[in-house]
């Protein structure tokens, strides 16, 4: 961005007078992004797999296990409740919540 702004952080005049140069710069950035995106996707998939492979290997049931979402934790936490007390209450509520969810058939199974 240094080439775009002057020392007073205003847009340079020559930058505004040549919109075709800006269009070319955007096209080059888009082509570079399109060329690198498959490699980035592959890297992210490998990274996700390596990050979670150990957990799935040692605890295969954790792949489909349910957890309290951050929103649910926030909504169910009492005012000024200490985190370890909130965790104990949510752990105690897990079994009834699992029974409630088990009443409904799952479309993914």
């Amino acid at each position: 961005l240094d080439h775009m702004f002057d020392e007073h952080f205003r847009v340079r005049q020559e930058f505004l007078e040549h919109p075709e140069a800006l269009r070319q710069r955007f096209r080059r950035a888009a082509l570079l992004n399109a060329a690198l995106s498959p490699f980035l996707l592959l890297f992210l998939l490998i990274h996700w797999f390596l990050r979670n492979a150990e957990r799935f290997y040692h605890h295969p049931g954790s792949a489909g296990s349910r957890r309290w979402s951050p929103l649910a934790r926030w909504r169910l936490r009492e005012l000024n409740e200490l985190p370890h007390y909130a965790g104990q209450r949510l752990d105690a509520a897990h079994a009834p919540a699992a029974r409630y969810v088990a009443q409904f058939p799952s479309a993914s199974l």
Side-chain angles (χ1 to χ4, degrees):
L1 290 176
D2 289 339
H3 63 278
M4 184 176 170
F5 298 107
D6 63 5
E7 61 275 353
H8 301 291
F9 298 108
R10 287 179 284 183
V11 177
R12 292 181 190 268
Q13 199 60 16
E14 59 267 10
F15 197 79
L16 296 174
E17 293 171 356
H18 302 291
E20 190 59 37
L22 180 61
R23 186 175 292 124
Q24 282 298 105
R25 185 172 286 136
F26 281 143
R27 285 184 181 151
R28 275 189 248 129
L31 286 174
L32 183 66
N33 190 11
L36 294 179
S37 61
F39 300 109
L40 181 62
L41 179 65
L42 181 65
F43 170 76
L44 289 174
L45 285 174
I46 291 171
H47 176 44
W48 178 86
F49 178 76
L50 291 176
R51 231 180 127 160
N52 295 304
E54 187 272 333
R55 183 175 49 136
F56 291 151
Y57 180 76
H58 290 292
H59 308 288
S62 70
S65 66
R66 297 181 183 269
R67 291 188 217 148
W68 295 105
S69 70
L71 177 64
R73 287 183 164 277
W74 180 73
R75 301 275 312 264
L76 295 174
R77 188 173 176 182
E78 293 178 357
L79 183 64
N80 292 332
E81 185 176 25
L82 295 173
H84 64 282
Y85 287 137
Q88 289 173 354
R89 283 191 329 104
L90 291 175
D91 289 344
H94 183 71
R99 282 196 308 271
Y100 173 76
V101 171
Q103 295 177 20
F104 306 102
S106 175
S108 63
L109 294 179

